[in-house]
Amino acid sequence: MWKALLKRATVEQWQAIDAEYRQEPLPSQQAAWILVVAALCLILPRYFGSESAVRGSAWLSQLTADWPYPRVHGNVYWALFKLLNYGLLPYLCIRLVLKRPLRDFGVRMVESRSALITYASMLLVIAPFVLIASGTQAFLRTYPKCAGAADGLTPLLIWELAYGLQFLMLELFFRGFLIFGLARSVGSLAIFVMVVPYAMIHFSKPLAECLGSILAGIALGTVALRTGSIWGGVLVHCLVAWSMDLLALYRTGHLARILFG
């Protein structure tokens, strides 16, 4: 029985995606454009979008010199940079090269009970692993992603809002631009093309999270294409990420200090 359920959740879903999305014959110039733009989007933050960019740039350092909560500046910059590489560049490709509306890339709401059940199930599956991982030293060395979030309630809120925006941009890029764009040429294979760079951006994370990103990427990509929307993935990603930060702060005693003084 479990084999039949697994096949229904994976292979049959990918076959349905192929039937619904694959339209362009190979080789496709559109697919080539998507992959070249994606490569550029992934290169830019490596050289210009890191947390250290604020310290390494004279004008950024001067601009933020009088801003409060200096320990969150670098991380907030890292998150906001995603507006450029995960947001603006794919948007320009979609509008100027592919000439399609954003709706065709998963930017639409889906009021589907089955979709809601799917995303809720994903959260229930992930939650125990997050709880277990939060007790490990590797987890506590990594989270919260922004060390300055432990400085007080205001910097915590500033950081988590920026962190959520970053995940919105991430889903727009990986589960929107990449898979919806490529699925019209290669069908469900677009999910597995997307998973390669998605796993690579997790190289700095603990091994379990890095390996888990492969399964998470396949699951989120499959559900996005089957529902036609990225918004459930945005919600799942934000809730998981926020809970990981809060669990790390709780485990180290910082959360009680932030909330109760």
Side-chain angles (χ1 to χ4, degrees):
M1 181 178 177
W2 67 269
K3 289 184 179 180
L5 290 173
L6 182 61
K7 182 180 179 182
R8 183 177 180 182
T10 56
V11 175
E12 291 183 9
Q13 299 304 314
W14 300 330
Q15 290 173 342
I17 288 167
D18 290 343
E20 181 177 356
Y21 284 95
R22 187 169 176 179
Q23 302 168 3
E24 304 291 338
L26 290 175
S28 168
Q29 290 185 347
Q30 288 196 350
W33 270 104
I34 291 166
L35 291 171
V36 169
V37 170
L40 179 60
C41 292
L42 292 164
I43 289 171
L44 284 177
R46 172 64 178 80
Y47 294 95
F48 305 105
S50 66
E51 298 94 326
S52 60
V54 175
R55 297 189 300 273
S57 169
W59 75 270
L60 278 175
S61 296
Q62 185 176 4
L63 176 67
T64 60
D66 297 326
W67 291 8
Y69 314 116
R71 291 221 303 159
V72 305
H73 293 173
N75 294 91
V76 170
Y77 171 81
W78 166 82
L80 294 180
F81 192 86
K82 301 300 185 286
L83 289 168
L84 170 63
N85 70 300
Y86 284 167
L88 179 60
L89 292 182
Y91 175 76
L92 291 175
C93 182
I94 289 169
R95 300 299 292 176
L96 301 180
V97 179
L98 307 180
K99 300 184 187 302
R100 286 180 174 271
L102 282 175
R103 180 182 176 86
D104 288 355
F105 292 80
V107 187
R108 65 187 186 95
M109 296 300 296
V110 176
E111 297 179 2
S112 166
R113 183 180 178 185
S114 61
L116 292 175
I117 292 173
T118 298
Y119 286 116
S121 300
M122 291 175 69
L123 284 172
L124 289 173
V125 169
I126 295 169
F129 293 99
V130 173
L131 283 170
I132 294 169
S134 68
T136 66
Q137 289 302 310
F139 183 95
L140 296 177
R141 284 194 299 267
T142 306
Y143 296 98
K145 168 75 175 175
C146 173
D151 292 347
L153 183 58
T154 300
L156 174 62
L157 292 175
I158 291 171
W159 161 243
E160 297 304 341
L161 285 173
Y163 205 20
L165 174 65
Q166 184 268 157
F167 282 114
L168 168 60
M169 292 298 105
L170 183 146
E171 290 296 326
L172 281 169
F173 176 71
F174 285 100
R175 256 68 73 179
F177 176 64
L178 269 180
I179 63 169
F180 280 92
L182 293 175
R184 295 179 177 92
S185 296
V186 298
S188 61
L189 184 61
I191 298 167
F192 303 93
V193 173
M194 172 273 295
V195 161
V196 176
Y198 184 62
M200 293 173 72
I201 68 169
H202 289 78
F203 280 173
S204 63
K205 302 294 181 68
L207 176 61
E209 185 176 350
C210 194
L211 292 173
S213 70
I214 299 173
L215 294 177
I218 293 172
L220 289 170
T222 300
V223 176
L225 283 173
R226 290 298 286 140
T227 62
S229 175
I230 65 167
W231 291 111
V234 173
L235 179 63
V236 169
H237 228 144
C238 285
L239 290 176
V240 171
W242 289 336
S243 69
M244 291 167 77
D245 270 6
L246 293 176
L247 278 168
L249 290 171
Y250 170 76
R251 296 279 191 183
T252 54
H254 292 301
L255 188 61
R257 176 180 53 78
I258 290 170
L259 296 178
F260 306 112

